[in-house]
Amino acid sequence: MKNLVAIFVMLTGCIFSGYAQNYKANDPIAVNQKIKKGVLPNGMTYYIYPTEVNKNTASYYIIQNVGSILENDQQKGLAHFLEHMAFNGTKHFEGKGILNTLQKQGAVFGKNINAYTSTDETVYNLDNIPSKDGGVVDTCLLVLHDWSNFLSLTNEEIDAERGVITEEWRTRQNARARIYNQLAPYYYNNSLYADRMPIGDMEIIKNFKYQVLKDFYKDWYRPDLQAIAIVGDINADEVETKIKKLFADIPTPINPKKRFEIAIPERAEPAFKLALDKEISASNINFMVRHTAEKPTGTFADLEKSTQRSIAFGIINNRLSEMAQKQECPFKGAQIGYQKYSRLNDVFVLGLSPKPGKQAEAFEAVMNEWVRAYKFGFSKGEIERAAKETISGYENYLEKINEISHKQVIGMVKDDYLNHEVIADPAVEFEMTKSILKNIDSKMLQDQVAKLYTKENRVVTVTGVEGEENLMQEKAFDIIQKAENDASLQPYADTFVSKSLMDGIDLKPGKIVSEKETKEIGATTYVLSNGVKVHYKFADKNKKTISLQADSYGGTSLYDGNDMPSAQRCTDFAMMSGLGSFSDTDLEKILKGKIVSSGVGISPMSEFVSASANVKDIETMMQLVYLRFERPRFDQEKFLLMKQRFQNFLKNKEKDINSKMSDSVSVAVYGKNNPRVYSIDQKYIDDLSFDKMKAIYEDRFSDISNFEFNIVGDIQPEVLKPFLEKYIASIEGIKRKENFKDKTAKMISDKIDKEIFIKMETPKSAVKIYYSNKIAYSEKNKILASFFGDILTLRYTESLREKEGGTYGAYVVCVATKYPSPKAKLEISFDCDANRVDHLVPIVYQEMDKIKKGEIVAEDLEKTRTNYLKTKADSKNFNKYTSDLLYNYFRENYNMDDPKNYEDIVKSITAKDIQNFANSFLNKADSYQIVFKPLK
């Protein structure tokens, strides 16, 4: 049984053709033959999938059928601890050898090199590693080999990692985590799952004896519980030969412990739990019905069941989404579905986020909608739209079958290995799906979802908010009973009538008045009769796809004071309201079955339109772009809904610790009521104006001649040009010249050093450090800023994390920006133990001082350089690179394709360059250091 997310991914591909054949329930689903699968004599499973979606790279995974559920009471947290230790020394890679080796290939820890531990599995990954050097392929396979059976687990490295994991716990121990700890016994009916959160018990983490971890590793990390997967631009036969040879020395376990699985106990009576936390600012309600997991059979019957459920729940969730767009709706959002829950249990779940003070009313509304669906079913129009969307998804998927990402493939591999779900041949699967859709009706869908709504194993959980009227057990159960027995419920009325997007619009097409080729980048510029410039370049790295970007300078920088909230939110308001003569919900229905999207936005310096589509839907895309300019929609009800949402957010904002910190930083740095700093408070909400938002939107998008368009995709000029003339050239512009203004907020002092004390449920310190300084903007300075920030990241990983065990990780970013005025900015932030913050903060500055003195580790420089060159080469595998090429050439006046503008600079950067940049940037820079500490 696939969960709903997996179903959604699966239901995306192939070509609708002719009459669908009939299938029997036990007909097997054809296996995807592109995936090579085998099992070694020692029990290890392997998967190999060759693909050129990322040319010259491959990804390597080891999937351990081992998680925290296998821990005993003295081992809580050790499955996750062991995951960390895999990066701290193995047979062939001493200490940080894995990281150091792969970073020299351009990999980044946390991005390309990572892992995760859950209750039932642990997965390690090496993503997008260069694959055309056989030695690198061998190295990556050797890493998987060592992870399987050859971790060093030295006492020194174990002790060093205790602090890192304690700080990971501290970083993650927020209000939601504390709420989860309260609810877990109810979710899992007091089974072992409720007591085996992967992060574990910090007393055990700090004090366990070394042998306890080594015993866990010996017991559970073994080939019969392991699968390796290699996906990428590789020779599958050669890699298979290497696997069979390299992994043969991993011994077959003798009398291994049984890999047990835990079933959540049955419970006849419903359970209820209200959980509270002082830092929770918004409530949630979940109504769950647990089931024994449905074992996959790999047959047509499985696909039929999952397809019917996907369509039924999709329709229900569309109804709930439509309800949430109304001001009077008591919930902010709601979803209903059926998904995998644990190895031996699945779960039906009804979840919702009530508006403040409306928990009972919200739960009642969602329960009524659920009961309406399973009692009365679905309209013909709803089913037809859902089927159309499914067909379109399959078509799009198979057209782009060679563009499936490495992670999508790994997702299918994990489902196959851990859950025994077939990796289906998508073309054959679609033939089966067509047969299912041909026969589908409301009764089938009703029966399918109603089966999941049983009387046993029910649990209602409420995340409450202190000070609100929270939903209590008696009321919750009463709402469920009344909904189930409400004789006044009526079937859903589907009043939607499909019309053309351009209904009632009389187009007056314009012309392309000139064409100019830019041979340097292989682009063509069309000048339209209304003055618009359209830069176009053919690109088919992503097949059958087209994208459009258009922008104009000005943005919110042209507005001040009370107008600013309306300026910042005007495009959000328009997007909420729909388009042309259609509300947002009707627009969504009209677009069902089309692979197309469009949007508008406004930034401090510009306003912009974006759109993308499958090439078969290009006309629809162009119509949407036309309507964004000519027929925006402004709905009074949506204006009131927007204000209500902000008011709801504000109601309990003071309980949210992140909001407290953000507002405190703003006041400390920019002062109270700075006219150029806007946070969401009552005045901000009061200043939102329907008339102003409408007027500002219409003003910003009134002059299409001031926009530059970039169009990139798998489409020929002779197809594109008629659409440009019909839709883009038909929009009149007023031909004004505008630019943005510099409205950058000024700090209250050029150096700020402040401690802020905040009451916290889980005490910690949060450090925020910032530097800003004017610099001469150039491509070299832009690259030097990145080098400086990324080398600092490597330094802090080694010093703050690994050596000190003082933080889970420091976030560092340094950028040089051109607009609104040239400057460089550095941000550093990390969480840590409040008792150690005064020791750790000086280390931040010591690492910066080392760089200023020229003490730059040569390996750090080379790792960073290699990463930049690899990332640039990888980016050329996708159409987005071409879109960026057009923008930078015509807007920023430089050619990304010319090595002198990037590759040559990256290759030429020296330690002296970085030292000089650090000194010129940091000396006399404006800066602040804000340290949050717990209020005792």
Side-chain angles (χ1 to χ4, degrees):
M1 163 62 202
K2 289 186 182 292
N3 63 37
L4 291 181
V5 174
I7 292 169
F8 179 78
V9 171
M10 181 190 73
L11 293 179
T12 48
C14 202
I15 298 172
F16 188 85
S17 58
Y19 183 79
Q21 67 183 88
N22 293 316
Y23 293 89
K24 298 186 180 71
N26 60 355
D27 284 348
I29 298 173
V31 174
N32 189 329
Q33 296 301 310
K34 190 172 180 180
I35 288 187
K36 185 185 286 279
K37 179 183 177 182
V39 180
L40 301 178
N42 59 14
M44 178 176 283
T45 305
Y46 64 86
Y47 300 81
I48 306 168
Y49 186 93
T51 173
E52 294 184 2
V53 63
N54 287 18
K55 290 186 184 299
N56 304 319
T57 72
S59 298
Y60 305 78
Y61 281 67
I62 182 165
I63 303 161
Q64 314 269 4
N65 186 12
V66 178
S68 57
I69 200 69
L70 299 178
E71 298 163 350
N72 63 36
D73 286 343
Q74 286 72 49
Q75 295 173 328
K76 289 191 280 188
L78 296 199
H80 173 248
F81 201 108
L82 198 55
E83 173 217 311
H84 278 239
M85 293 307 300
F87 300 97
N88 289 290
T90 69
K91 179 179 179 180
H92 295 98
F93 302 92
E94 186 177 347
K96 300 296 184 289
I98 289 174
L99 296 181
N100 289 331
T101 300
L102 294 174
Q103 283 171 337
K104 291 174 184 176
Q105 299 298 325
V108 174
F109 182 45
K111 177 184 176 185
N112 307 104
I113 309 166
N114 213 334
Y116 74 83
T117 303
S118 70
T119 49
D120 275 307
E121 80 238 27
T122 307
V123 179
Y124 300 82
N125 62 282
L126 309 173
D127 279 321
N128 292 329
I129 310 297
S131 64
K132 287 310 170 185
D133 181 336
V136 176
V137 174
D138 291 343
T139 296
C140 292
L141 291 175
L142 189 60
V143 171
L144 299 188
H145 166 272
D146 279 13
W147 278 340
S148 169
N149 197 59
F150 301 100
L151 299 191
S152 301
L153 300 180
T154 66
N155 296 351
E156 296 77 13
E157 291 288 357
I158 290 172
D159 285 337
E161 204 64 22
R162 295 181 197 265
V164 174
I165 291 176
T166 302
E167 293 311 314
E168 180 179 357
W169 170 86
R170 195 186 315 278
T171 293
R172 299 187 188 281
Q173 191 66 10
N174 55 22
R176 290 290 169 188
R178 294 190 295 270
I179 287 289
Y180 184 82
N181 290 336
Q182 294 181 53
L183 297 180
Y186 296 85
Y187 288 151
Y188 296 109
N189 196 18
N190 296 304
S191 69
L192 199 59
Y193 278 105
D195 195 37
R196 289 296 184 268
M197 293 302 100
I199 195 65
D201 182 323
M202 289 308 105
E203 286 304 308
I204 291 175
I205 294 302
K206 293 173 184 176
N207 299 300
F208 70 82
K209 296 186 182 304
Y210 306 123
Q211 192 58 42
V212 177
L213 181 67
K214 295 172 184 179
D215 288 344
F216 186 87
Y217 181 56
K218 181 181 177 182
D219 285 342
W220 299 115
Y221 272 50
R222 58 189 207 230
D224 60 311
L225 297 178
Q226 294 170 333
I228 58 173
I230 296 85
V231 179
D233 192 359
I234 42 92
N235 182 304
D237 292 335
E238 288 180 5
V239 169
E240 183 177 36
T241 300
K242 289 173 188 261
I243 288 170
K244 289 179 177 179
K245 182 179 179 180
L246 179 62
F247 289 82
D249 71 340
I250 298 172
T252 304
I254 300 172
N255 298 321
K257 282 192 172 185
K258 179 179 173 55
R259 201 298 187 196
F260 59 87
E261 294 178 332
I262 299 293
I264 301 170
E266 297 285 313
R267 181 185 172 98
E269 295 300 314
F272 177 91
K273 174 64 177 177
L274 167 66
L276 296 170
D277 188 279
K278 292 182 185 301
E279 293 174 7
I280 283 291
S281 60
S283 61
N284 280 285
I285 300 171
N286 280 311
F287 175 24
M288 301 162 62
V289 183
R290 290 188 301 269
H291 292 264
T292 300
E294 300 168 324
K295 297 294 184 183
T297 63
T299 63
F300 176 77
D302 277 1
L303 182 64
E304 183 174 44
K305 180 171 58 182
S306 65
T307 301
Q308 290 173 353
R309 286 178 183 172
S310 178
I311 286 177
F313 284 122
I315 293 172
I316 295 168
N317 288 325
N318 285 339
R319 292 179 183 179
L320 293 171
S321 177
E322 188 171 340
M323 290 171 66
Q325 301 309 308
K326 298 185 184 301
Q327 186 192 1
E328 65 271 17
C329 179
F331 56 83
K332 294 180 283 189
Q335 277 205 318
I336 303 177
Y338 188 74
Q339 62 193 47
K340 181 166 284 298
Y341 196 52
S342 64
R343 283 290 171 85
L344 299 180
N345 290 94
D346 298 335
V347 65
F348 163 89
V349 59
L350 177 154
L352 62 142
S353 299
K355 291 177 180 176
K358 294 184 179 292
Q359 291 180 23
E361 190 181 341
F363 188 43
E364 182 179 0
V366 179
M367 275 303 306
N368 285 343
E369 209 55 40
W370 161 243
V371 173
R372 189 192 319 280
Y374 81 74
K375 278 190 176 179
F376 299 111
F378 310 93
S379 71
K380 183 180 178 182
E382 288 177 308
I383 296 171
E384 286 176 350
R385 290 192 294 273
K388 189 177 179 182
E389 187 175 29
T390 302
I391 296 293
S392 178
Y394 269 105
E395 291 173 343
N396 188 57
Y397 185 81
L398 277 192
E399 282 182 340
K400 301 169 185 175
I401 192 69
N402 294 323
E403 296 175 26
I404 302 172
S405 71
H406 293 187
K407 288 187 177 179
Q408 281 179 285
V409 176
I410 293 298
M412 293 187 286
V413 167
K414 286 196 296 183
D415 279 342
D416 181 88
Y417 180 64
L418 298 173
N419 302 320
H420 312 295
E421 295 180 2
V422 172
I423 303 175
D425 179 314
V428 177
E429 180 181 284
F430 182 44
E431 290 301 317
M432 287 183 162
T433 303
K434 284 190 289 186
S435 177
I436 295 165
L437 297 176
K438 176 173 67 77
N439 297 312
I440 208 161
D441 61 28
S442 179
K443 183 68 167 61
M444 288 179 184
L445 301 182
Q446 283 175 259
D447 291 346
Q448 191 57 254
V449 296
K451 291 175 188 174
L452 307 176
Y453 191 61
T454 55
K455 294 290 185 184
E456 299 77 27
N457 301 309
R458 293 183 171 191
V459 56
V460 176
T461 62
V462 178
T463 300
V465 176
E466 290 194 350
E468 279 193 18
E469 184 179 349
N470 294 304
L471 181 64
M472 305 303 288
Q473 176 173 320
E474 184 178 355
K475 181 66 173 176
F477 289 170
D478 183 57
I479 288 170
I480 293 170
Q481 185 179 25
K482 283 183 176 178
E484 291 171 346
N485 298 284
D486 186 354
S488 68
L489 271 183
Q490 297 295 313
Y492 176 81
D494 183 13
T495 59
F496 173 71
V497 178
S498 183
K499 295 187 293 185
S500 165
L501 270 177
M502 304 298 286
D503 188 56
I505 295 174
D506 182 22
L507 277 176
K508 296 178 180 178
K511 292 289 185 184
I512 294 173
V513 297
S514 71
E515 297 182 24
K516 180 183 176 183
E517 284 191 47
T518 304
K519 292 184 179 179
E520 190 176 13
I521 61 169
T524 302
T525 297
Y526 303 110
V527 178
L528 309 185
S529 51
N530 56 0
V532 170
K533 286 183 180 178
V534 179
H535 309 297
Y536 154 78
K537 182 171 170 61
F538 177 84
D540 63 351
K541 298 292 186 180
N542 301 109
K543 299 290 185 185
K544 304 293 185 182
T545 298
I546 185 168
S547 66
L548 176 151
Q549 303 287 332
D551 76 322
S552 169
Y553 289 141
T556 60
S557 72
L558 304 183
Y559 303 90
D560 283 305
N562 296 346
D563 290 345
M564 185 59 79
S566 295
Q568 290 177 331
R569 303 296 170 178
C570 66
T571 51
D572 296 338
F573 177 35
M575 290 285 289
M576 287 174 64
S577 296
L579 200 56
S581 57
F582 304 100
S583 68
D584 58 332
T585 52
D586 282 350
L587 182 63
E588 185 178 339
K589 292 172 184 176
I590 284 173
L591 298 178
K592 289 286 186 187
K594 295 182 183 294
I595 310 296
V596 64
S597 66
S598 79
V600 286
I602 190 164
S603 72
M605 293 179 290
S606 66
E607 46 277 342
F608 53 89
V609 176
S610 61
S612 64
N614 187 299
V615 291
K616 70 181 175 60
D617 295 317
I618 182 175
E619 182 160 20
T620 301
M621 183 189 84
M622 290 295 191
Q623 290 172 347
L624 291 171
V625 172
Y626 173 92
L627 293 170
R628 295 292 176 200
F629 283 98
E630 292 287 88
R631 295 289 189 276
R633 185 179 171 93
F634 305 97
D635 188 318
Q636 178 68 30
E637 184 177 333
K638 292 303 168 67
F639 168 70
L640 296 174
L641 177 63
M642 173 182 272
K643 293 195 73 168
Q644 183 191 68
R645 286 175 176 174
F646 281 124
Q647 208 71 58
N648 290 340
F649 167 77
L650 190 62
K651 185 174 178 62
N652 293 301
K653 181 184 174 185
E654 73 282 355
K655 290 184 170 69
D656 185 272
I657 193 166
N658 292 322
S659 292
K660 281 184 187 177
M661 288 185 176
S662 178
D663 287 348
S664 297
V665 169
S666 182
V667 171
V669 174
Y670 300 110
K672 286 186 178 180
N673 304 316
N674 188 309
R676 293 185 179 178
V677 176
Y678 298 86
S679 63
I680 298 174
D681 56 17
Q682 191 59 53
K683 183 178 185 310
Y684 186 97
I685 298 170
D686 292 341
D687 285 342
L688 289 171
S689 160
F690 178 97
D691 291 334
K692 285 181 182 178
M693 282 195 279
K694 182 175 183 290
I696 291 171
Y697 181 102
E698 290 176 342
D699 178 47
R700 290 298 81 223
F701 294 90
S702 64
D703 187 13
I704 193 169
S705 67
N706 207 29
F707 281 74
E708 283 198 41
F709 283 69
N710 297 319
I711 296 179
V712 165
D714 189 4
I715 187 168
Q716 296 299 329
E718 58 269 20
V719 178
L720 174 64
K721 288 159 69 175
F723 292 123
L724 293 178
E725 293 184 323
K726 183 175 181 180
Y727 294 106
I728 308 303
S730 66
I731 303 170
E732 291 188 15
I734 57 179
K735 298 186 179 178
R736 65 188 175 191
K737 293 296 180 184
E738 283 188 318
N739 211 330
F740 53 81
K741 297 178 182 179
D742 188 350
K743 295 286 185 70
T744 306
K746 305 296 183 186
M747 292 170 50
I748 59 174
S749 172
D750 58 9
K751 186 170 184 179
I752 297 167
D753 188 345
K754 191 173 181 66
E755 289 185 346
I756 299 175
F757 292 86
I758 291 183
K759 191 172 182 180
M760 304 177 188
E761 292 301 299
T762 301
K764 68 175 181 179
S765 275
V767 179
K768 315 283 184 185
I769 295 171
Y770 175 85
Y771 283 83
S772 174
N773 203 355
K774 294 178 180 178
I775 63 163
Y777 183 85
S778 67
E779 290 307 308
K780 184 170 183 176
N781 275 346
K782 179 178 165 185
I783 292 167
L784 280 169
S786 292
F787 264 91
F788 179 52
D790 288 344
I791 287 173
L792 276 177
T793 299
L794 293 171
R795 289 296 86 218
Y796 294 146
T797 299
E798 183 170 312
S799 58
L800 294 174
R801 176 182 160 120
E802 300 299 338
K803 183 179 178 181
E804 295 289 338
T807 184
Y808 181 50
Y811 168 82
V812 184
V813 62
C814 186
V815 295
T817 57
K818 188 175 182 179
Y819 307 115
S821 59
K823 67 170 56 178
K825 296 182 288 186
L826 170 68
E827 293 180 55
I828 303 166
S829 61
F830 62 93
D831 293 344
C832 65
D833 184 341
N835 295 319
R836 297 197 66 201
V837 67
D838 293 334
H839 171 70
L840 295 174
V841 168
I843 296 172
V844 173
Y845 297 103
Q846 289 167 17
E847 296 294 355
M848 285 194 276
D849 286 340
K850 288 178 184 177
I851 293 176
K852 289 170 70 177
K853 293 173 184 175
E855 298 173 21
I856 297 170
V857 179
E859 272 197 359
D860 288 353
L861 176 57
E862 293 311 312
K863 288 173 183 176
T864 305
R865 189 194 320 277
T866 304
N867 170 250
Y868 288 3
L869 295 173
K870 177 187 177 297
T871 300
K872 177 66 179 288
D874 288 349
S875 71
K876 294 181 180 180
N877 290 317
F878 304 95
N879 283 2
K880 187 181 183 303
Y881 175 85
T882 307
S883 184
D884 291 341
L885 174 69
L886 290 187
Y887 182 87
N888 285 315
Y889 189 88
F890 293 107
R891 274 296 203 197
E892 301 300 324
N893 302 311
Y894 79 94
N895 182 2
M896 283 172 54
D897 269 350
D898 191 334
K900 74 179 182 183
N901 290 320
Y902 190 80
E903 288 88 344
D904 292 352
I905 298 174
V906 171
K907 291 174 183 176
S908 72
I909 296 293
T910 65
K912 187 67 175 176
D913 290 328
I914 297 168
Q915 179 189 3
N916 290 341
F917 174 84
N919 280 291
S920 63
F921 165 47
L922 294 175
N923 293 341
K924 298 183 179 178
D926 293 343
S927 67
Y928 67 73
Q929 174 188 298
I930 296 176
V931 178
F932 289 96
K933 293 185 174 181
L935 182 65
K936 296 178 181 179

